[in-house]
Every structure is written in C-alpha cells, then in structure tokens.
Amino acid sequence: MRPRLRRWLLGLSLGTIAITALTCGAWSMVRASAGEPTAALADTWHEGHRILDRRGRLLRELTSDLGLRGQPRALEDIGPRLLAATLVSEDKAFFEHDGLDPHAIVRAALQTVRHGRLVSGASTITQQLVKMLDARGQTRARGLGDKLLEVARAQNLEEQVSKEEILLAYLNRLPYGHGLTGPEVAARGYFGVAPRDLSWAQAAFLAVLPRAPSYLDPYVRPERVLLRQRALLGALRDAGELSDLEHDRAVAEPIELRPLTRPFFAPHLVDALKLEGRLSPGTATTTTLDLDLQRDIEGAVRVHLAAIEDRGASDAAVLVVDNDTGDVLAYVGSADFHSDEISGQVDMVRARRQPGSTLKPFVYGLAFAAGHFGPELTADVPTTFQERGGGSYTPENFDRGFEGPIPLREALAGSLNIPAVRLAAELGPAAVLTTLRTLGLRSLDRDAEHYGLALALGSGEVELRELAGAYVALARGGEAIALRYTTTDPDPAPVQVFAPDVAALVTEALSDPLARVRGLHGRGPFQLAYPVAVKTGTSSGYRDTWTVGYTRERTVAVWLGNADGSPTARLTGASGAGPLFADVMRRAMADVPQRRPLWQPELLVDLEVCPLSGAPVGPACDEAVHRKFSKDHVPKDTCSLHVHVRPDRSAPAGLRCDPQAVATAVVFPPEYDEWLAYKTAGGDTPDMHGRPWLARARVPGCDDRPTALPVLRVVAPAPGTVFALDQRRDAQTIEVRAELDGSGVDLGELAFLVDGREVGRSTWPYKLKIAAEPGDHEVLARPADPRLSARLESTRFSVR
C-alpha cells in the first residue's frame, strides 16, 4: 500500500474513532442529564376506580382526573395472545434492544425516503412508555431534542427495571379509545371477556387501536380497524405466532363489539363513599350492597310515590341493613338521582331531618332500664312540664286527644306524646341525649338544654342512616355497631347500650299489632307474615314521614317527603312511609332462608296482671291478662287502682273504700284529676264494665294513712315558669291548677291567692284562669272554709 493512502486511511480511522468517542461521550453526558422516569411509574393518572356490589357486579366506574378507566393487571392475566399481538405490532425486537432499536430507525428512514412521507415510526415500547410517563398520557408536540431526550431516558429506564416491568407498565397505560386504558378494561368493554380469554382475532383487533384511538374508533370506522387487524394477523403468521390454519380462522372470525355501557347504580352511596373518603385503596371498592335488592327497592320507591302522587310527596329514601354484620344491603338516597324537579341529587339518607316519634323507643328503653315496666300504667292527660331555664312545655298528642290511663307499652306502640315526654322529664334530657349519641345519632350535636324535653318527640335533626343504626342496636339485643358500607370497612366493635332484656321489652311492644290500636286508631299498614318491630314518625307540619323497623335479621329505615322541606298533604309516618316500609321489608326478608325470633325467649317471662294497672292482680280486680316482663325485674305490689267500695253520702264522691264490700270502683292518683273531671262529666264512666272512675283523693278509706294531713299543692304553672306577654293582645290569662293528695278528704271550694291576694275560687278539679300581669308571682290554694285544714304548697312563676 502506498504511504499516502496508508496515512489517509490511518487519519480516517483515527478521525472516526475520535468522532465516535466524542459522540459516545456526548451521548453519555446527554443520558446523565436526561435522568430516568422510574418515579413516574407510581403515578396513577391512567387508573380508574370501580365500585362493585358484594358479588363483584359493577355499580359505577369512576374515571381518573384525565377521564381514564384503567384497571392494571399482571402479565399472566393479560394472556399470551394480546401480548404477542402488541409486541409484533409495536416492537418485535423489544427483548433484544436496550431501549433504542437501530434497525427500526434504519427501516423507518428507508420507508420515509421511498414513500416521501412518514410510514412507520421507530419508537420502541420503552420509548413509548417514557413518552406516556413524561406526558401523563397526553399528546403534545415534540421536536428533535425531545426525541433525543426520550431515547436517553428510555435507555436509562432499561438499566433500572426489567423488560417484564417495562412491558407491563406500557400495556396497562395503553389507550384503546373511549377512556378504556389497558387490556383489562378494553377487553371487557369491547368484548365482555377477560384479556386472557381473547381470541386471536379479538387480540389483533385490540392491538391496533392504540396507534390512533380516535381515528380507529371501532364504533365509528370499524373498516379501518379491520384493515389493520388483518395486516397484523399476517405479521403474526410471518413471525411464527400463528399457523396458517389459525391465521385463516382469525381472518374469518366476525368481530362482534358489545355496546359500551356505563353502569350507574346506587349513585348516592357511591357519591357518599367519594365525599367521605371511604373508597378502598387501589382501583376497586367492593361495597356491601346487594344489586338485585337495590334495584328492586328503587322500583318499589317509584311505584309507591306514583300511588300517592296527589298527596304532595315527591321523594323517598330507604336503607336496608343486615343486623348480624351491620352491612348496608340497599341504599336509596332519592327517588330519582337525575331529577332536578325533586332535587334528586340530594342524598336523603345523609340529610338531617326531624325524625318525629322514631326516637321514642330509646326513651322507653332508658325508662325500662331505670325500673319501669312495659305494662305499667302511665297518664296520657294534659300536662305542663317545667323546662330547665324557667320555661314550660305543654305537649299535645298528634290527634290532639288524650287516652287517659294507658300502659307504657301501648303508649310506645301507639306513639303517644305525653307519656314519652313524662318519661323524658323523669330521666332528664341529658340522659336521653347521651343515650341517643351512644346509639350513633351524632347529628344531635347541640347541648341537652337546646333540645329540651321535646327531644323525646324528635325535635332534633338526624340522618336516616343514623336512625337505622340505632334500630339495628335494638334488633341486636341492645348492642350498637357501626354500619358497614364496603368490605374493607373494619368489623364493627359492639357497644352494649341497653341490656338484652330491656331491648326485648321495647321490641315486644313495637311488634304487637294490638298495642298500636289505641294510639294509632288501628294496626297500621304492617300486616306481614312474620313478627316485625316497627315505629312510625311524623315531623311538624307533615314535612317528613318515617317508618323504621326490624326483624332479627334485617332493619329497614324509610323516609318519605320532599327534599326541599315543603309539607305533604297531611301524610303521616303510617300513611306515607308505612306502606313503602312494608313492601321493602317483604323484599328484604325474601332473601333470608331461616327467620329467628325477635328476641331470645328466655329473656322475658309471662305474668298474669291487671290489664289496667299492669300490676299483679289485686283483691278487687275481676279480670287478668298475660303480659311480659324481664325475668329479673317483675312487679311485687298488687294492683291499687281497683278497690272495693260502699256508698257513703259524706264522702266527696259518695263512695268509701271498704275491703269487705262487694262493689268495685277504680281510683286514680292526682295527675288524672282534670282528665277525670272531663271524662266523667254528666255521670259517665270510661270503664268498659261500668265501674266508676274516681279521683283517689275523693274516696276516703283507700289510703293506709287515715290520719295524715292532706297536701294541697299548686301544680300549674310549674315552679319557675316564665310567661312572655304578647304586646299585640290586651287581656291575657294564665291557668292555675291545684291537686289534693289525700284520700277521701272533702275540702269543698278552694280559694286561689296570687301574691297573698285572693283572685278567685274553684271546686274540684281545682283550676282557675287569672290575669297575666308583669312581674314575679306566688300562687297558693287553700280551703275556702277556714275550719278545714291541709298542708299547703305554693308555686312561683314570672310574667315578662
């Protein structure tokens, strides 16, 4: 070789080495500064979240912030067909290169020169993954510098993670159109199968979509997709992935796309889980809901509202709970989520509304725990109660009437107001409020003085789900648990609020249809084929109607009314929510294979008692009934209401107690005096056997204290009452009333004194209206006959 040529070749070689060294050095610097995107692999922009029912059926898909619905899966779940189709379509040499495929670059360049346009790209799967990671799946313009940076980061990524990890991350981020990201949702969305169950034809069809998801929309331009599918099937055959027979079968296989569906079940529950941060980690939340039951109850709500469309109620909400687990099986937040007319997106399961009488069972539960009996007599008579802070409260029953003497269990079942307030006054509003909060009614977030005695009648506002949880406690024998909405919610820790026998007494009263008759004037719409404990409620102004009840297995809570708080056309808990409750309970119990008793039989015992007093039968009682009591807490004293009497003209009522007499009468304590005077006017008696009903204080000989000085006390106004004058009215009056505690003493006419000045006189039942004058006052009653004696007790009140 000539020396000149040798020197030229040597120079060329050295130049090439130098240029290569410089290029490699420069590229190393580029790679060093480019970094790698492994941190972005943890980003979840491509992941949606699926809300499932307890059996795995889809309730709703929640998209990512970018509107994507990805559900990442492992490589083995994707299956070999779609893997092979994707590799052949996108990067046949994926497992051979380091993130950059020189052969692909040369091929792409030659094709561009030959055709005068870009025919195919040279990006590897790793490069495409880097592009998706850096742009969070969004399309953006890229120049040469961006491409070089992408290549550098791809090579860096290859050094950090395995090929399998790169391939999996890539596949799970691939866009298949319509927000379907990754093989899992694409295969199920388009074909209704898991990706590993795709045929070759389906796999090739899906594998071409990520190239241009909008351009290749299979619902709009299926022919475009089929053209590329067939080309890919040929490439798969050429690559040895398909035999000729498999290729021909795949080409001949018709592609049948499923219509894309977007389930939208239990929308209020899904929204509640989102708003309250209760979605499970990852890409799916399995709820406790039963979709079949949910849909049936949604239908029942629509049917019921259509039947009463003329009664001014447009909306309803329902909750069904499995009492054993606390699982919410159905959650209907409104009659129509999409209706603006009824404010359908307002979730009435979580809305705070006045619950009416549905709080009464818990007041009675406290009373039974404190020693009261279910059959025990209570006074449903006009009564004014003293409130803390100086005010007074005079409740009325829903029908404005009074039942007089009535057993506690019937007062509860019949939803009478005055007996419930009487118990609340005895127990104290603070104790009632504490118990309600322990049961889960945490919406009652004001102090006891704010609610006052009216809390027993539902003066506070609670949520339907809180109310359902409280009744679950009764169904579980007094044991409160938290409701569960998802399968990842922790198992509830029980809290024993009532003793099991106390809960059984409440349940026994609520489940007896006959016990409802006096208060509800009928049994209500609750004729079911099995015992159900049930309680209705109606808020003031007929705005909210409620029915909540339970079997041992299920609790059903129903609200019916209007989301905007407008009143119904005089619907009550029984007439409004009641029929819907009955239908829902029937459907909910249809899934229960074996029904258990409402309470453990050994908790309660049967005793023979007087039907009026509820105490064991006394000497003058001529009838008896069987009633249930806690086995550890039974009454010991016999009935004191029924007495033997004989005529005595000197007695105020013309009768005297005499154990040796044959005739009988019924005598009542002082709280019945005013009611008795009204009911017995004209000589009538409310007794079904014709026995006289008398004030005990007017029948001598009935007490064991014959020498005791009678007590004459002013009971109204209650001590400390403050009256507010109405400046728009001229003459205003206040009713004062006295009671005589003493058997058979006839004090005749009483004189009432205000601040020491006599203002009027009254005979039994000792009441008088006086003028309301500003200031602080004391009222005293005394016998008008100065020869008669009694111990006097006054009361003080104020007028402002």
Side-chain angles (χ1 to χ4, degrees):
M1 183 178 295
R2 297 177 181 178
R4 181 179 295 177
L5 179 59
R6 187 180 298 113
R7 287 193 300 272
W8 184 84
L9 289 174
L10 179 60
L12 179 62
S13 298
L14 291 174
T16 301
I17 292 172
I19 292 171
T20 301
L22 287 171
T23 302
C24 290
W27 184 244
S28 296
M29 293 177 63
V30 171
R31 286 186 59 181
S33 63
E36 45 80 20
T38 53
L41 291 173
D43 200 343
T44 58
W45 51 263
H46 60 297
E47 295 180 4
H49 196 93
R50 294 162 64 87
I51 314 295
L52 311 172
D53 89 329
R54 64 192 301 114
R55 300 178 189 173
R57 293 172 291 186
L58 185 63
L59 300 178
R60 198 201 303 184
E61 281 185 290
L62 304 178
T63 64
S64 70
D65 294 341
L66 301 176
L68 306 179
R69 305 172 185 273
Q71 292 283 307
R73 292 293 183 268
L75 284 176
E76 56 267 26
D77 295 327
I78 294 173
R81 293 189 180 93
L82 186 56
L83 282 175
T86 302
L87 287 170
V88 170
S89 175
E90 299 296 332
D91 190 354
K92 287 185 288 187
F94 172 72
F95 286 100
E96 283 75 47
H97 61 66
D98 66 348
L100 177 67
D101 185 356
H103 299 292
I105 294 174
V106 172
R107 183 187 67 248
L110 291 175
Q111 288 177 338
T112 300
V113 171
R114 183 181 307 125
H115 296 282
R117 59 183 175 84
L118 182 64
V119 175
S120 64
S123 293
T124 63
I125 281 178
T126 312
Q127 289 174 249
Q128 293 181 55
L129 175 60
V130 168
K131 180 173 65 176
M132 287 190 287
L133 292 176
D134 289 347
R136 302 183 80 243
Q138 302 300 294
T139 302
R140 64 185 185 188
R142 297 179 300 145
L144 179 60
D146 297 317
K147 290 288 291 182
L148 291 174
L149 186 64
E150 179 184 292
V151 172
R153 288 170 64 78
Q155 290 184 315
N156 292 344
L157 180 62
E158 292 262 1
E159 293 180 352
Q160 299 295 320
V161 297
S162 68
K163 284 285 188 180
E164 287 75 14
E165 290 176 282
I166 292 172
L167 180 59
L168 181 62
Y170 169 75
L171 286 167
N172 280 325
R173 289 166 174 78
L174 271 182
Y176 290 89
H178 296 281
L180 304 175
T181 304
E184 171 69 19
V185 293
R188 294 190 184 276
Y190 288 127
F191 297 114
V193 298
R196 65 179 303 107
D197 297 326
L198 292 168
S199 67
W200 276 112
Q202 292 169 333
F205 190 92
L206 286 186
V208 302
L209 294 179
R211 289 285 184 91
S214 297
Y215 179 78
L216 298 176
D217 187 333
Y219 295 106
V220 179
R221 293 287 187 269
E223 68 282 356
R224 293 177 179 174
V225 188
L226 289 172
L227 183 65
R228 286 160 178 76
Q229 177 225 31
R230 283 169 171 71
L232 178 55
L233 288 171
L236 286 165
R237 178 188 57 190
D238 296 343
E241 298 288 347
L242 292 178
S243 66
D244 289 339
L245 180 59
E246 289 173 323
H247 170 268
D248 294 343
R249 286 177 177 173
V251 170
E253 180 182 328
I255 295 295
E256 298 180 358
L257 296 175
R258 291 182 52 183
L260 285 179
T261 57
R262 298 283 184 259
F264 198 80
F265 299 119
H268 293 95
L269 172 61
V270 174
D271 285 354
L273 295 176
K274 287 169 55 184
L275 290 169
E276 297 176 356
R278 304 178 69 143
L279 296 177
S280 303
T283 59
T285 294
T286 301
T287 69
T288 58
L289 221 65
D290 182 327
L291 181 56
D292 293 334
L293 179 64
Q294 174 78 18
R295 299 185 71 176
D296 288 348
I297 292 176
E298 288 173 351
V301 167
R302 291 190 293 269
V303 169
H304 183 68
L305 286 173
I308 59 169
E309 61 181 349
D310 60 336
R311 300 297 302 275
S314 64
D315 203 4
V318 179
L319 212 63
V320 179
V321 183
D322 181 329
N323 295 329
D324 288 333
T325 62
D327 288 357
V328 173
L329 302 178
Y331 185 121
V332 179
S334 76
D336 185 353
F337 182 85
H338 301 288
S339 172
D340 292 334
E341 184 178 352
I342 68 167
S343 302
Q345 294 189 28
V346 175
D347 184 357
M348 297 308 298
V349 169
R350 296 190 299 125
R352 293 186 178 187
R353 304 298 278 261
Q354 285 191 346
S357 297
T358 57
L359 298 188
K360 289 176 182 174
F362 312 112
V363 178
Y364 281 82
L366 268 180
F368 294 155
H372 288 279
F373 305 106
E376 175 185 325
L377 191 69
T378 188
D380 180 41
V381 297
T383 309
T384 297
F385 299 92
Q386 181 65 33
E387 292 270 31
R388 183 178 178 183
S392 62
Y393 179 44
T394 306
E396 292 183 324
N397 286 322
F398 188 78
D399 62 359
R400 306 284 194 247
F402 303 96
E403 294 296 323
I406 188 170
L408 283 177
R409 62 187 298 276
E410 291 187 31
L412 168 58
S415 202
L416 298 176
N417 289 342
I418 291 140
V421 176
R422 189 181 301 280
L423 292 176
E426 175 189 325
L427 298 163
V432 174
L433 180 59
T434 297
T435 299
L436 292 174
R437 286 175 177 167
T438 306
L439 287 163
L441 294 159
R442 295 181 179 85
S443 293
L444 298 171
D445 52 11
R446 306 290 291 273
D447 58 31
E449 189 172 346
H450 169 78
Y451 299 112
L453 295 174
L455 179 61
L457 309 184
S459 64
E461 293 185 334
V462 303
E463 298 178 5
L464 182 67
R465 59 180 176 176
E466 294 175 335
L467 202 55
Y471 276 77
V472 167
L474 291 176
R476 291 175 57 89
E479 187 180 68
I481 58 174
L483 301 187
R484 298 176 75 245
Y485 299 91
T486 75
T487 56
T488 56
D489 286 345
D491 290 333
V495 176
Q496 196 73 41
V497 183
F498 295 123
D501 59 333
V502 169
L505 287 172
V506 174
T507 300
E508 189 273 334
L510 294 179
S511 60
D512 183 356
L514 293 178
R516 305 178 196 131
V517 172
R518 283 183 65 184
L520 296 181
H521 307 295
R523 300 189 182 191
F526 308 116
Q527 301 302 310
L528 300 172
Y530 38 83
V532 177
V534 61
K535 185 71 192 71
T536 61
T538 310
S539 69
S540 59
Y542 298 94
R543 287 174 172 81
D544 306 280
T545 75
W546 310 76
T547 300
V548 191
Y550 52 93
T551 61
R552 189 72 173 272
E553 297 81 14
R554 298 288 182 265
T555 290
V556 172
V558 176
W559 167 89
L560 184 142
N562 298 298
D564 62 2
S566 57
T568 66
R570 301 182 69 82
L571 283 173
T572 64
S575 64
L580 177 57
F581 166 88
D583 287 345
V584 172
M585 181 60 83
R586 289 188 188 97
R587 173 60 184 86
M589 288 296 292
D591 297 330
V592 176
Q594 186 173 1
R595 295 164 187 154
R596 294 170 287 170
L598 280 170
W599 66 86
Q600 296 296 336
E602 64 271 15
L603 292 174
L604 304 181
V605 295
D606 274 340
L607 289 181
E608 192 175 65
V609 298
C610 168
L612 181 60
S613 68
V617 173
C621 297
D622 56 4
E623 59 180 334
V625 294
H626 283 270
R627 292 288 183 259
K628 294 190 179 299
F629 295 81
S630 167
K631 66 177 183 178
D632 298 324
H633 185 58
V634 296
K636 296 179 175 58
D637 297 329
T638 59
C639 172
S640 61
L641 295 183
H642 292 89
V643 294
H644 288 285
V645 293
R646 61 177 173 81
D648 183 349
R649 291 183 180 180
S650 66
L655 295 171
R656 173 180 289 274
C657 281
D658 183 349
Q660 306 305 317
V662 176
T664 59
V666 184
V667 293
F668 291 93
E671 58 262 35
Y672 293 92
D673 284 0
E674 185 177 359
W675 180 84
L676 280 172
Y678 167 74
K679 294 295 288 187
T680 59
D684 295 330
T685 175
D687 192 273
M688 61 184 301
H689 299 291
R691 289 170 295 200
W693 283 21
L694 305 168
R696 192 178 192 89
R698 296 173 60 79
V699 183
C702 295
D703 280 342
D704 296 329
R705 303 168 299 162
T707 61
L709 190 66
V711 178
L712 182 59
R713 64 172 60 91
V714 179
V715 294
T721 302
V722 178
F723 293 96
L725 283 173
D726 187 346
Q727 301 300 326
R728 296 169 297 179
R729 297 170 56 191
D730 295 330
Q732 298 175 55
T733 60
I734 296 170
E735 183 175 272
V736 295
R737 185 165 58 86
E739 285 182 355
L740 179 62
D741 184 7
S743 176
V745 178
D746 187 2
L747 295 182
E749 193 175 45
L750 298 186
F752 283 90
L753 289 78
V754 177
D755 302 330
R757 179 175 58 87
E758 183 176 329
V759 294
R761 296 189 177 193
S762 171
T763 56
W764 185 85
Y766 311 133
K767 60 180 179 178
L768 184 73
K769 289 187 181 295
I770 64 173
E773 298 178 354
D776 300 323
H777 306 288
E778 181 182 19
V779 180
L780 182 73
R782 69 185 182 192
D785 186 342
R787 296 171 298 176
L788 300 177
S789 299
R791 182 158 59 88
L792 309 181
E793 293 184 5
S794 64
T795 187
R796 294 178 181 273
F797 68 95
S798 301
V799 179
R800 299 283 185 263

